[in-house]
Amino acid sequence: MNDEQVREQELAWIRGTLNGDQAAFTSLVDAYSGPVYNLCYRMLNNPIEAEDAAQETFIRAYTRLNTYDQKRKFVNWILSVASHYCIDQLRRRRASWISLEDMPYVQMEDHKDGPEDILMRTEAGRDVQRHLCVLPPDYRLVLVLRYWYQLSYKEISEATGDTESAIKSRLHRARLMLMQELQGGDSK
Amino acid sequence: MNHEDFTILMSLKLDNALNELDEERLNQHLETCETCQEQWASMQSLDKLFTAPAMLPAPNHFAQDVMWQIQRRKTMKLASQGGIAAIAILLLLQVVSLPWIISNLRQMRQASFWTAMGTNLNQYLLYVFSLFEWLGRIGAQLVVRLRTPTGQIALVTLMSVILCLVVLWLVAISKSSLKNNLERG
């Protein structure tokens, strides 16, 4: 299917859901569960919390689907819903600044055979996730949206509700922080 | 432009968001500045680390779990609305019975009233049951119709009116009781 067909299919599911067709919404969940779960996991760094957050995202999307602007990409809209939810969760958790030494490896080992365990077995995957957790939530979010979803500054600003210049600045600072962290890690 | 300004340009370059003029400026600076060359190399390494990162799949049965949660919340919402409607019905029943109770308040204190009540119990029960039937129908309509924002406001208003009437009723009863006690005293 090309992009246009995908878009048409997506809009058909959305209209179906708005008309009360639950199977249409199930199809939407199936189509976007991966990107939403991935974002939640990257942000929260915990498989159980990520699953709960992803579920909550879709429940919110279901109840607020009538507010969705059909001119926007659905994936960007749902990622925006997930982003706001994860940021709220992280602010509640108050664990935005965790040093690399304090990173909970045990947490990952609690859920064997999960997708995150497979990822964590590779050194690069483990490094990426560990470095992400060094960043404050707002910085982590822009980095995830930029690298995992290849969103433009404009799309990130739509998803987060911040200005494009704020996004540029946040992305730049996030990179500087990561570089410092990487250099610190190398010297240890 | 200082080093800090050039690192901003480096970041923009990584995102392909740098205009030609600034790119030229950055390239010229990189040719001569060793500090910025190191910075640029580090930034590129970082960018490489994060390029094409793995996308995690959602757990199995995720969609079914979401749909189950949605169904559960719908049921809970309906149940809470039904609960509100039931309370409203009970309060309405009290309000509707109010004139009858007030009119029979004095007689209710006499034993002959309860004897008569026993005789007329059948008629009384019929009255109450028919009242319940109508209130049940109204309650069902409330549950269905009051699921909109306007409906919720209407429900809250109705509840407030009923509560006020109940309070007035209680005041009337206590006043009547006080008056009787004073008369007896």
Side-chain angles (χ1 to χ4, degrees):
Chain A
M1 276 211 281
N2 61 33
D3 283 355
E4 203 172 313
Q5 285 171 321
V6 169
R7 180 84 186 127
E8 272 176 29
Q9 176 66 79
E10 184 182 282
L11 285 172
W13 286 333
I14 291 164
R15 286 187 201 116
T17 307
L18 289 171
N19 290 327
D21 179 6
Q22 294 217 340
F25 190 70
T26 309
S27 305
L28 267 178
V29 178
D30 270 331
Y32 295 105
S33 57
V36 170
Y37 176 77
N38 181 68
L39 176 73
C40 295
Y41 180 77
R42 298 298 173 186
M43 290 299 291
L44 301 171
N45 192 38
N46 178 303
I48 294 173
E49 283 184 37
E51 190 175 346
D52 288 346
Q55 281 190 10
E56 189 58 38
T57 300
F58 281 105
I59 292 166
R60 287 182 179 195
Y62 182 79
T63 52
R64 298 174 193 173
L65 199 61
N66 54 345
T67 66
Y68 163 64
D69 175 8
Q70 296 191 5
K71 288 171 198 160
R72 278 180 74 183
K73 278 185 187 173
F74 181 77
V75 68
N76 290 0
W77 181 72
I78 200 148
L79 287 176
S80 162
V81 177
S83 303
H84 285 108
Y85 184 76
C86 290
I87 292 279
D88 284 347
Q89 290 300 104
L90 286 168
R91 281 182 184 151
R92 280 184 201 155
R93 208 204 276 172
R94 293 181 184 179
S96 51
W97 286 89
I98 305 169
S99 73
L100 287 179
E101 289 80 5
D102 296 335
M103 280 306 298
Y105 273 108
V106 181
Q107 211 172 52
M108 304 300 160
E109 290 162 10
D110 285 346
H111 303 280
K112 282 169 186 166
D113 302 317
E116 54 283 333
D117 296 300
I118 299 160
L119 177 82
M120 288 302 146
R121 280 182 206 134
T122 65
E123 200 177 336
R126 192 166 54 229
D127 282 350
V128 164
Q129 190 60 30
R130 287 181 68 207
H131 291 315
L132 264 184
C133 294
V134 174
L135 300 171
D138 291 343
Y139 288 25
R140 198 183 307 174
L141 178 63
V142 291
L143 209 76
V144 171
L145 292 176
R146 179 80 194 101
Y147 281 104
W148 270 266
Y149 302 93
Q150 286 89 43
L151 298 193
S152 64
Y153 291 145
K154 188 171 181 281
E155 287 170 322
I156 299 173
S157 80
E158 280 174 1
T160 58
D162 296 307
T163 61
E164 278 186 55
S165 57
I167 300 302
K168 280 180 199 174
S169 160
R170 217 170 279 168
L171 202 50
H172 172 62
R173 285 180 193 164
R175 282 180 175 131
L176 291 183
M177 275 186 191
L178 284 176
M179 277 161 57
Q180 277 181 346
E181 204 59 48
L182 281 169
Q183 282 160 5
D186 289 344
S187 63
K188 279 172 198 171
Chain B
M1 284 178 98
N2 56 28
H3 293 305
E4 172 64 23
D5 295 329
F6 281 111
T7 58
I8 295 171
L9 295 185
M10 288 174 205
S11 194
L12 290 171
K13 187 173 177 168
L14 290 177
D15 297 327
N16 296 316
L18 200 58
N19 62 45
E20 277 183 32
L21 185 69
D22 282 336
E23 187 156 8
E24 185 59 35
R25 204 176 285 172
L26 176 66
N27 289 340
Q28 280 179 357
H29 179 74
L30 283 174
E31 282 173 16
T32 54
C33 179
E34 276 186 28
T35 314
C36 284
Q37 281 171 11
E38 281 176 24
Q39 187 85 341
W40 178 230
S42 304
M43 227 179 232
Q44 281 179 305
S45 307
L46 180 79
D47 193 58
K48 202 176 171 186
L49 182 69
F50 279 86
T51 301
M55 189 73 89
L56 296 175
N60 292 333
H61 311 296
F62 180 81
Q64 287 93 320
D65 291 346
V66 170
M67 297 317 291
W68 182 82
Q69 286 280 353
I70 288 171
Q71 206 54 47
R72 193 178 67 92
R73 288 193 192 189
K74 269 186 180 176
T75 311
M76 280 173 71
K77 197 179 171 187
L78 201 64
S80 67
Q81 283 174 342
I84 291 168
I87 292 167
I89 288 165
L90 283 172
L91 289 173
L92 264 172
L93 184 67
Q94 284 188 319
V95 172
V96 171
S97 312
L98 198 64
W100 183 84
I101 292 170
I102 289 171
S103 66
N104 291 295
L105 207 59
R106 282 192 180 177
Q107 292 171 352
M108 281 165 86
R109 294 174 187 282
Q110 296 162 6
S112 58
F113 168 81
W114 297 105
T115 318
M117 267 299 289
T119 318
N120 296 323
L121 189 64
N122 192 28
Q123 280 185 355
Y124 174 75
L125 286 176
L126 277 173
Y127 168 75
V128 171
F129 284 140
S130 63
L131 204 65
F132 261 117
E133 187 194 344
W134 279 104
L135 290 174
R137 287 183 187 180
I138 293 166
Q141 286 292 319
L142 280 174
V143 172
V144 174
R145 287 174 192 268
L146 297 183
R147 291 176 67 191
T148 59
T150 325
Q152 299 289 345
I153 293 165
L155 181 63
V156 170
T157 314
L158 181 68
M159 291 289 293
S160 308
V161 170
I162 290 167
L163 276 173
C164 288
L165 287 171
V166 170
V167 169
L168 285 173
W169 173 51
L170 289 170
V171 169
I173 287 174
S174 57
K175 268 189 180 178
S176 163
S177 168
L178 190 71
K179 198 180 170 185
N180 283 339
N181 285 338
L182 283 171
E183 279 172 1
R184 278 182 194 175

